[in-house]
Amino acid sequence: MVERYVEALNARDTEGLLAVGAAPDRPWSREQADALIQSKGGKGLTITNAPIRYDRMGDYTGKVNLAAADREGRPVRETVDLLHENSRWHLVLFEWPAGDKASSAP
């Protein structure tokens, strides 16, 4: 899942981000995916470390502390929340609009 996130960023792949974030293909989610790509995409990231800490509080949750290097070797660090929903893990990348009660996982 973390590898797919980095691959989607490197490829500037909106659909890939929607998939790893388990978000529906809607204007609000595409806008957020495009913003992620603008700020973090196309940097040639290579994962150097990605330890995951899982918790259980009601739903399964967790965090991944992603450490990567860009194509010039500069370090990149990011912490991303994880959620287990509908028997699948996904990265919490998107803010759902108010009133959209649909599950985030397909």
Side-chain angles (χ1 to χ4, degrees):
M1 127 188 67
V2 177
E3 294 86 3
R4 291 184 312 178
Y5 171 59
V6 170
E7 289 169 3
L9 286 176
N10 285 339
R12 303 177 68 82
D13 178 7
T14 299
E15 287 77 19
L17 286 177
L18 293 174
V20 78
D25 189 352
R26 298 201 179 123
W28 63 264
S29 57
R30 282 192 162 271
E31 183 177 308
Q32 290 179 48
D34 290 344
L36 281 170
I37 288 169
Q38 288 297 325
S39 66
K40 300 176 184 181
K43 295 182 179 179
L45 299 177
T46 302
I47 297 172
T48 56
N49 197 12
I52 297 174
R53 186 188 74 214
Y54 297 103
D55 300 313
R56 179 169 178 142
M57 297 184 75
D59 292 327
Y60 289 101
T61 61
K63 289 189 182 294
V64 61
N65 294 312
L66 175 62
D70 68 12
R71 69 175 57 87
E72 284 82 33
R74 292 181 297 240
V76 175
R77 299 194 188 290
E78 178 179 5
T79 299
V80 182
D81 291 323
L82 307 170
L83 181 63
H84 189 262
E85 188 175 50
N86 294 338
S87 302
R88 296 183 60 210
W89 284 98
H90 67 269
L91 299 174
V92 180
L93 301 175
F94 300 95
E95 290 187 30
W96 289 67
D100 191 337
K101 302 293 183 195
S103 170
S104 61

